[in-house]
Amino acid sequence: MGSTEEKPKLASAIITAGLIAGTLDILSAFTLVFTRTGKNPIIVLNYISSAIFGKQTAYSGGALMSAIGLLMHYMIAFGWAILFFLLFPKFRLLRFNKIVVGLFYGIFVWTMMNLVLVPMTLIPPSPFNVTNAVTNVIILMVAIGLPISILASRYFSRL
């Protein structure tokens, strides 16, 4: 008898990775904001939407701005997942160790977000804070880098 096992679908693997990474990251951000400030964590979504709409519009735009921020957040998470899945088969180094690679990918994501992407938005620059930076790097290592690396490794090992 022949195997009827279906070849895994790349789109499904990327969607899964993006959803998991995006959800872990946003829940981490919500938790961090609430525990540090006691404020409603929805302000995280307004912060994200302020990248396009500016601070005044984003924070006074109600549920629509929060929804746009959530959509933008997941688009960014999917972007990081897509990038990793595209690079994985091209660079042997990414197959080295899914845990180590995932942790380094989280550092890469933090670096690109903070030094390249966010400065190109309407979000005003803020002073560098070592504690915040380390906390955010760790969150991206665990919430973005690890799940994307693990799921990409799992996907490509089945081919």
Side-chain angles (χ1 to χ4, degrees):
M1 281 190 181
S3 173
T4 59
E5 188 175 319
E6 201 176 303
K7 184 177 177 183
K9 294 188 179 359
L10 179 60
S12 178
I14 292 171
I15 289 168
T16 301
L19 283 172
I20 290 171
T23 300
L24 290 173
D25 183 44
I26 201 66
L27 290 176
S28 297
F30 285 169
T31 303
L32 188 64
V33 164
F34 183 73
T35 57
R36 282 192 175 170
T37 68
K39 293 181 180 177
N40 187 334
I42 295 301
I43 64 170
V44 172
L45 302 176
N46 299 110
Y47 173 81
I48 296 167
S49 65
S50 76
I52 293 175
F53 297 99
K55 187 175 182 176
Q56 185 174 349
T57 302
Y59 286 89
S60 64
L64 177 61
M65 284 294 122
S66 298
I68 290 171
L70 185 63
L71 177 65
M72 290 171 60
H73 170 76
Y74 275 101
M75 288 173 56
I76 293 165
F78 283 116
W80 292 120
I82 290 166
L83 178 63
F84 194 88
F85 274 77
L86 289 175
L87 295 176
F88 193 91
K90 296 178 185 336
F91 295 96
R92 276 184 99 75
L93 181 64
L94 296 179
R95 291 179 229 132
F96 165 68
N97 178 309
K98 62 188 167 212
I99 304 300
V100 172
V101 168
L103 295 174
F104 276 103
Y105 192 61
I107 295 168
F108 171 76
V109 169
W110 182 89
T111 303
M112 295 305 294
M113 290 297 298
N114 287 277
L115 300 181
V116 178
L117 298 173
V118 171
M120 296 180 350
T121 71
L122 295 178
I123 296 172
S126 58
F128 183 77
N129 179 301
V130 174
T131 303
N132 289 345
V134 169
T135 301
N136 291 328
V137 167
I138 291 169
I139 287 171
L140 291 178
M141 291 167 73
V142 173
I144 298 286
L146 280 177
I148 290 173
S149 177
I150 290 167
L151 292 169
S153 178
R154 182 180 299 163
Y155 170 79
F156 286 103
S157 71
R158 293 183 196 166
L159 296 182

